[in-house]
């Protein structure tokens, strides 16, 4: 590991721990977590699932549209390593999803169809409390290497502690309510992506990039902007042309 990579890792750990701010945004924080996993670990994609107020799992963040769809399919079909990870509180991995199709008969074919060949899920856990899981994906059937798996767990641990610390949690009810709010906002974000896709002919990944880029450049919460788009009160043209990311249009 070279000096630049070590310095980058150190900055990311500080970034994950630095949640003591008034305008802390859970969804933006989780999106940053999965992006840093792809940047610094030997993985192709990453996703996060969180438990809602009923204990059911829901997709909360993903580094790519493919990973988002796979995680969404996993929670909808109640099948996959992330679900096993949350239930056991232990890491769950597959070095070859073809070989593990009998283990996850619904998840494994869907993940392979999305281009993934191996996966490693680590719990987002503090002592006995498991609030979700971080799932790492690879496109080669050789599994996630030990270093990436250990760093992924470290990222998940620091992120979990940071989220709990930011809220000064004294009882689990507060945590459940705040995580539920974040998950509800995720639904609105998907609606906003659909609106931008329909209006501008964008693919879903580009719609999210435009939405997030505009929110960042204008110091807006992602969830607030998504609500404005879904409610029809946002300037869609400004969002599609004013983000910091390139817009990719779908073919007619």
């Amino acid at each position: 590991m070279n000096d630049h990579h070590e310095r980058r890792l150190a900055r990311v750990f500080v970034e994950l721990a630095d949640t003591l701010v008034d305008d802390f945004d859970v969804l933006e924080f989780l999106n940053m977590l999965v992006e840093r996993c792809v940047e610094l670990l030997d993985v192709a994609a990453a996703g996060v699932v969180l438990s809602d107020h009923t204990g059911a799992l829901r997709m909360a963040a993903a580094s790519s549209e493919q990973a988002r769809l796979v995680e969404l399919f996993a929670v909808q079909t109640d099948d996959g390593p992330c679900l096993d990870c949350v239930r056991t509180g232990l890491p769950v991995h597959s070095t070859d999803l073809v070989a593990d199709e009998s283990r996850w008969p619904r998840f494994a074919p869907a993940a392979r169809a999305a281009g993934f060949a191996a996966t490693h899920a680590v719990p987002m856990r503090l002592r006995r409390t498991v609030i979700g899981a971080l799932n790492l994906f690879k496109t080669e059937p050789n599994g996630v290497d030990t270093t990436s798996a250990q760093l992924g767990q470290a990222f998940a641990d620091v992120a979990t502690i940071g989220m709990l610390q930011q809220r000064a949690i004294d009882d689990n009810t507060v945590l459940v309510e705040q995580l539920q709010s974040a998950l509800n906002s995720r639904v609105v974000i998907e609606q906003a992506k659909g609106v931008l896709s329909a209006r501008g002919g964008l693919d879903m990944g580009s719609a999210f990039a435009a939405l997030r880029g505009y929110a960042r450049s204008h110091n807006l919460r992602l969830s607030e902007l998504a609500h404005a788009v879904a409610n029809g009160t946002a300037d869609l043209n400004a969002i599609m042309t004013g983000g910091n990311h390139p817009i990719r249009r779908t073919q007619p």
Side-chain angles (χ1 to χ4, degrees):
M1 188 178 297
N2 59 41
D3 289 344
H4 174 74
H5 193 260
E6 289 182 345
R7 289 195 298 270
R8 187 72 183 98
L9 279 174
R11 286 196 295 270
V12 169
F13 279 115
V14 172
E15 193 175 21
L16 289 172
D18 187 19
T19 58
L20 294 175
V21 292
D22 292 337
D23 59 348
F24 177 77
D25 188 326
V26 173
L27 288 180
E28 180 63 25
F29 179 74
L30 293 175
N31 280 313
M32 181 266 289
L33 170 63
V34 296
E35 287 181 351
R36 298 300 181 265
C37 285
V38 175
E39 289 174 12
L40 293 168
L41 309 182
D42 185 20
V43 298
V48 170
V49 296
L50 292 177
S51 297
D52 67 12
H53 68 289
T54 68
L57 287 180
R58 292 170 61 180
M59 195 283 301
S63 64
S64 69
E65 185 67 10
Q66 291 84 355
R68 185 190 73 84
L69 292 173
V70 170
E71 294 286 40
L72 185 61
F73 182 79
V75 298
Q76 287 177 341
T77 60
D78 194 33
D79 186 55
C82 53
L83 283 85
D84 291 350
C85 178
V86 174
R87 287 165 180 159
T88 64
L90 299 171
V92 177
H93 72 278
S94 170
T95 57
D96 186 352
L97 286 171
V98 173
D100 283 332
E101 187 164 332
S102 60
R103 187 180 181 189
W104 300 303
R106 294 176 292 277
F107 172 85
R112 289 192 290 107
F116 303 121
T119 184
H120 187 98
V122 298
M124 298 185 70
R125 177 189 64 209
L126 180 62
R127 301 183 182 90
R128 295 185 178 181
T129 301
V130 181
I131 63 173
L134 169 66
N135 209 7
L136 307 174
F137 296 94
K138 289 202 71 174
T139 54
E140 305 85 16
N142 55 1
V144 174
D145 65 82
T146 301
T147 299
S148 292
Q150 291 175 343
L151 284 173
Q153 182 66 75
F155 285 176
D157 290 344
V158 175
T160 302
I161 293 169
M163 292 169 68
L164 297 177
Q165 172 182 269
Q166 192 275 339
R167 293 162 185 77
I169 297 300
D170 292 322
D171 62 80
N172 197 50
T173 301
V174 177
L175 173 63
V176 169
E177 290 175 351
Q178 294 190 350
L179 292 182
Q180 184 64 35
S181 177
L183 291 170
N184 290 341
S185 294
R186 183 74 217 190
V187 174
V188 179
I189 288 172
E190 295 305 316
Q191 294 172 346
K193 286 164 57 179
V195 171
L196 290 175
S197 177
R199 172 66 177 269
L202 310 180
D203 60 47
M204 295 296 277
S206 296
F208 181 67
L211 189 71
R212 191 178 180 200
Y214 189 87
R216 282 180 164 180
S217 63
H218 291 77
N219 296 316
L220 300 172
R221 281 178 175 264
L222 181 61
S223 55
E224 291 174 353
L225 180 60
H227 274 285
V229 172
N231 293 335
T233 58
D235 186 338
L236 302 186
N237 289 329
I239 293 171
M240 289 185 288
T241 60
N244 297 326
H245 302 273
I247 304 280
R248 187 171 63 255
R249 299 188 178 274
T250 54
Q251 293 297 320

